[in-house]
Amino acid sequence: FENQNFQLDKLDLHGEGVWTVHNYENRPGWNKDLNDNRFLGSLIALNNNLQLELINHLPIEDYLYGLGEVSNSAEVEKMKTIIVAARSYAYFYTQHQRKFGHSRFDLDDSPERSQKSLGYGMQLRSPQVVAAVKATQGEMVSFNAKIVKVPYFNQSAGRTKSAESVWGWKNTPYLVSRPDPYCKETVFKGHGVGISGCGASGMARANFDYKAIIQYYLPGVKLAKIY
């Protein structure tokens, strides 16, 4: 259909409905020929204070297929680590706490406010990430039998930071400062709390699996399969 702001159509592709928003521009800097304007699930158009808002509604696993938080060329165990962390984050903010107040959506597509989500185009060009989603289906991080939000970041300077020192959180004993030996030669990129991306890469190359990586950076947590 068409309205004053969005021009959309839907293609039934192998049993999957894929929406294309023709006048939405989201082109990666490394290839301006790409446009991440295709989405699985359903699209809901709302009037938000006279601004038209388009919400993509879909299951968490389908959402993770289009996640842009880890590269398709990353180590497999690092992919699984980030996917499990991202799934826990998404589940926490859809089931336990509202991140965006009274908004009709649970997550934003911006990594600064939530998690980077690029949709169906990302899914097509990241088959290894999709495989990591399927290999860890339903797995999340828990502490004291509750699913928790799991921060992760790009790289440290040899040691991660505690959530208390960065954000003042006093009720997350699993988010403590940890040695990050695979990142001694780098500088901080990101908030520094939780799982280190460069550290996860180093541990994966050293043959640690994703469960060991998660439990190293988040001492005391367990992995739980929710569905």
Side-chain angles (χ1 to χ4, degrees):
F1 65 87
E2 251 183 67
N3 58 42
Q4 61 178 352
N5 292 94
F6 293 117
Q7 299 168 9
L8 307 95
D9 63 29
K10 187 177 183 181
L11 172 67
D12 187 46
L13 185 64
H14 307 303
E16 290 185 323
V18 180
W19 289 96
T20 301
V21 186
H22 294 286
N23 58 340
Y24 174 62
E25 295 284 324
N26 189 16
R27 299 181 185 275
W30 53 271
N31 187 347
K32 293 300 183 180
D33 291 330
L34 295 175
N35 188 14
D36 286 314
N37 64 344
R38 291 184 290 171
F39 306 93
L40 287 176
S42 60
L43 293 179
I44 303 168
L46 298 173
N47 181 339
N48 183 3
N49 294 323
L50 301 180
Q51 294 291 318
L52 197 59
E53 186 173 77
L54 197 62
I55 298 173
N56 186 200
H57 184 265
L58 73 173
I60 286 179
E61 299 302 303
D62 287 355
Y63 160 78
L64 293 171
Y65 291 156
L67 195 74
E69 295 284 351
V70 63
S71 167
N72 190 62
S73 61
E75 299 81 5
V76 171
E77 296 304 311
K78 176 185 178 178
M79 287 186 205
K80 293 178 182 178
T81 297
I82 299 302
I83 289 297
V84 171
R87 183 184 288 113
S88 304
Y89 184 97
Y91 187 87
F92 180 87
Y93 280 118
T94 57
Q95 301 296 322
H96 298 306
Q97 183 176 316
R98 301 288 301 171
K99 185 174 179 64
F100 296 101
H102 297 292
S103 298
R104 290 284 298 275
F105 55 87
D106 298 302
L107 298 169
D108 194 291
D109 61 0
S110 165
E112 286 76 26
R113 295 184 296 270
S114 182
Q115 297 188 130
K116 187 175 183 180
S117 176
L118 296 171
Y120 189 64
M122 185 68 181
Q123 175 179 336
L124 291 181
R125 61 181 182 265
S126 301
Q128 299 305 316
V129 174
V130 171
V133 174
K134 292 179 178 178
T136 62
Q137 182 177 351
E139 284 189 81
M140 302 180 207
V141 180
S142 70
F143 185 78
N144 287 343
K146 295 181 180 180
I147 301 302
V148 294
K149 54 186 173 185
V150 179
Y152 50 93
F153 65 99
N154 196 324
Q155 63 189 40
S156 77
R159 190 174 188 92
T160 71
K161 300 177 182 179
S162 70
E164 183 174 0
S165 68
V166 174
W167 299 313
W169 297 358
K170 297 182 181 298
N171 60 344
T172 52
Y174 52 91
L175 295 177
V176 294
S177 177
R178 299 285 284 162
D180 202 12
Y182 294 100
C183 305
K184 287 182 178 179
E185 306 302 319
T186 62
V187 297
F188 269 107
K189 289 185 179 179
H191 48 67
V193 180
I195 297 172
S196 161
C198 67
S201 290
M203 291 185 73
R205 291 194 296 269
N207 296 319
F208 290 92
D209 69 11
Y210 69 100
K211 296 180 181 180
I213 296 171
I214 291 170
Q215 291 175 321
Y216 173 77
Y217 285 104
L218 310 173
V221 304
K222 296 181 179 180
L223 269 68
K225 192 172 180 68
I226 302 301
Y227 49 78

